[in-house]
């Protein structure tokens, strides 16, 4: 698919759009017959020293946010709930700050031992030094997500107040270190064009990453972009389908921002070819302080994830990367985020 074709499919609607989704689903189902991977995320720290204009956790909002850092006990307690549910992809996420290297690093070996090594540990802790990436890898993390958000260097610098190259270089460093790397883009940022979204897809392809997300922009209170409109769901879904067709092997999440904009948005993401859902295991008290999409973000529970997967006519799978030691399936008997029976 060349750039002109990507642009054409990004704007597809009606019958053409349905055919795009159907093709993407077929590609996914052939590549991942096991079903949809459920990840469990723990948000370890909400201090971020970046200043992205779309994010309420930005540096200029520090005075408005109630800061927290989970201790090791808090992280391991959350992960214990995942083990009980059969989830074997543990995702540790936090704002970009140097301190969270030790916060996450200290827990990683213990998480590996809780799972007897049958686990994927993915991090999303922002840009770090080569030594920090190597340290976290040596502790046992095997995946890292670092989103470039927009490939337009001018818009990137305008909205994130740093050069696009800083993130690109960090992604390359992560790949060189040995991580499976995920990146991602936001759809609907002010100043973004269809041409630029096509470039986002092509940039992700050229980076040779293993995972990529598409999130519709959500305007959040107390940010410079609070008065802008949300990103388009259709454009986001079309981008998911295009990425699936271009990269059958990628893990592509159906993100909570889709559900925030439209009830059933995450089913639509799966129907467009996504194959991952992330369930939130951050302790409730801290989860309410993690304002990544604003104070009223949609927090995904295990019950919601399972209903969404079933609603798309798919199966929940613990892990799509490695053969499982035990049955590669997650219990369906739950209606909330607590441990299924
Ligand atoms: S989007 Fe991420 S890097 Fe940017 S301010 Fe928010 S938490 Fe920090």
């Amino acid at each position: 698919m060349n750039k002109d074709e990507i642009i054409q499919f990004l704007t597809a609607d009606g019958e053409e759009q349905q055919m795009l989704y159907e093709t993407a689903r077929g590609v996914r189902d052939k590549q991942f017959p096991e079903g949809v991977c459920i990840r469990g995320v723990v948000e370890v720290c909400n201090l971020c020293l970046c200043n992205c204009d779309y994010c309420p956790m930005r540096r200029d909002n520090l005075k408005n946010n109630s800061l927290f850092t989970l201790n090791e006990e808090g992280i391991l307690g959350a992960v214990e709930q995942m083990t009980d549910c059969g989830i074997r992809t543990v995702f540790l996420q936090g704002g970009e700050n140097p301190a969270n290297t030790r916060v996450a690093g200290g827990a990683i070996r213990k998480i590996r031992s809780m799972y007897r090594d049958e686990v994927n540990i993915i991090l999303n802790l922002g840009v770090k030094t080569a030594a920090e990436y190597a340290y976290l890898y040596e502790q046992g993390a095997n995946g890292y997500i670092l989103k470039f958000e927009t490939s337009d260097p001018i818009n990137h610098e305008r909205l994130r107040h740093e050069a696009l190259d800083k993130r690109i270089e960090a992604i390359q460093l992560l790949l060189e270190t040995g991580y499976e790397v995920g990146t991602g883009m936001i759809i609907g940022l002010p100043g973004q064009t269809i041409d630029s979204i096509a470039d986002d897809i092509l940039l992700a392809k050229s980076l040779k990453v293993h995972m990529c997300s598409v999130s519709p922009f959500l305007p959040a209170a107390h940010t410079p972009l609070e008065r802008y409109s949300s990103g388009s769901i259709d454009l986001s879904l079309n981008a998911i389908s295009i990425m699936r067709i271009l990269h059958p092997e990628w893990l592509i999440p159906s993100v909570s921002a889709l559900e925030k904009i439209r009830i059933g948005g995450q089913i639509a993401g799966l129907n467009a070819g996504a194959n991952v859902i992330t369930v939130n295991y951050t302790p409730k008290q801290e989860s309410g302080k993690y304002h990544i999409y604003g104070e009223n973000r949609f927090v995904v529970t295990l019950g919601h994830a399972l209903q969404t997967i079933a609603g798309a006519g798919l199966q929940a799978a613990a892990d799509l990367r490695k053969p499982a030691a035990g049955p590669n399936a997650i219990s369906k008997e739950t209606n909330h985020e607590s441990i299924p029976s």
Side-chain angles (χ1 to χ4, degrees):
M1 210 184 286
N2 61 30
K3 185 170 172 184
D4 288 342
E5 289 165 328
I6 291 174
I7 289 172
Q8 186 194 329
F9 283 124
L10 278 172
T11 51
D13 60 6
E15 207 173 308
E16 188 187 17
Q17 187 181 41
Q18 293 311 315
M19 280 175 61
L20 177 67
Y21 296 167
E22 196 178 322
T23 305
R25 285 197 300 273
V27 170
R28 177 204 54 207
D29 295 345
K30 185 166 176 219
Q31 184 80 22
F32 296 105
E34 314 92 312
V36 178
C37 176
I38 298 190
R39 290 175 183 157
V41 65
V42 190
E43 288 140 349
V44 298
C45 172
N46 66 348
L47 170 64
C48 188
L49 301 181
C50 293
N51 211 25
C52 306
D53 280 359
Y54 43 82
C55 178
M57 275 170 54
R58 64 201 299 266
R59 188 176 65 230
D60 282 0
N61 272 1
L62 282 181
K63 59 184 180 311
N64 299 323
N65 290 333
S66 172
L67 295 180
F68 74 87
T69 300
L70 288 187
N71 59 22
E72 200 171 281
E73 194 184 356
I75 297 172
L76 298 180
V79 173
E80 199 173 351
Q81 291 183 51
M82 297 181 208
T83 63
D84 291 343
C85 297
I87 290 173
R88 287 200 301 278
T89 298
V90 175
F91 182 21
L92 304 181
Q93 175 162 272
E96 184 171 309
N97 75 72
N100 68 20
T101 302
R102 290 284 159 194
V103 172
I108 291 170
R109 275 185 192 273
K110 291 184 177 156
I111 294 170
R112 284 225 156 260
S113 119
M114 283 165 81
Y115 278 93
R116 297 198 174 107
D117 259 350
E118 287 288 332
V119 63
N120 282 312
I121 301 179
I122 302 178
L123 307 176
N124 181 358
L125 302 171
V127 173
K128 295 193 176 291
T129 63
E132 287 174 304
Y133 287 150
Y135 162 75
L136 292 163
Y137 189 75
E138 281 156 18
Q139 294 311 297
N142 58 311
Y144 204 107
I145 292 176
L146 192 65
K147 301 177 189 179
F148 59 74
E149 314 292 19
T150 172
S151 62
D152 176 339
I154 294 170
N155 216 17
H156 188 103
E157 190 140 0
R158 188 171 67 87
L159 297 172
R160 297 204 62 250
H161 311 286
E162 351 177 292
L164 171 66
D165 282 352
K166 185 177 170 188
R167 289 230 148 189
I168 301 300
E169 282 160 19
I171 288 168
Q172 283 158 347
L173 194 51
L174 286 160
L175 287 163
E176 284 161 22
T177 308
Y179 287 99
E180 293 211 324
V181 177
T183 191
M185 61 197 75
I186 301 175
I187 300 274
L189 288 168
Q192 193 181 44
T193 60
I194 297 285
D195 193 82
S196 159
I197 296 169
D199 284 339
D200 292 348
I201 293 171
L202 291 170
L203 175 60
K205 180 178 169 61
S206 73
L207 287 171
K208 302 197 182 330
V209 293
H210 308 89
M211 312 174 255
C212 192
S213 67
V214 176
S215 299
F217 165 67
L218 291 175
H222 313 303
T223 67
L225 305 186
E226 65 182 333
R227 295 191 191 287
Y228 285 83
S229 305
S230 300
S232 156
I233 284 252
D234 280 333
L235 202 44
S236 305
L237 297 175
N238 290 1
I240 288 174
S241 287
I242 293 164
M243 292 199 315
R244 172 59 65 207
I245 293 164
L246 286 173
H247 297 281
E249 76 289 0
W250 271 4
L251 295 179
I252 302 176
S254 183
V255 300
S256 63
L258 293 168
E259 195 74 28
K260 178 72 185 172
I261 292 180
R262 180 197 293 169
I263 294 171
Q266 284 184 289
I267 293 183
L270 295 179
N271 285 338
N275 65 336
V276 176
I277 289 198
T278 303
V279 174
N280 195 304
Y281 285 88
T282 308
K284 277 210 167 49
Q285 200 182 341
E286 282 78 19
S287 173
K289 297 176 190 166
Y290 200 85
H291 297 160
I292 189 75
Y293 293 125
E295 291 170 22
N296 299 316
R297 66 181 172 144
F298 185 86
V299 177
V300 176
T301 63
L302 181 58
H304 169 78
L306 292 170
Q307 278 170 17
T308 298
I309 292 166
L314 297 166
Q315 297 280 329
D319 195 320
L320 299 179
R321 283 287 186 219
K322 296 176 192 162
N328 191 24
I330 291 176
S331 168
K332 291 191 173 180
E333 291 177 33
T334 186
N335 57 7
H336 55 79
E337 74 272 33
S338 63
I339 303 163
S341 55

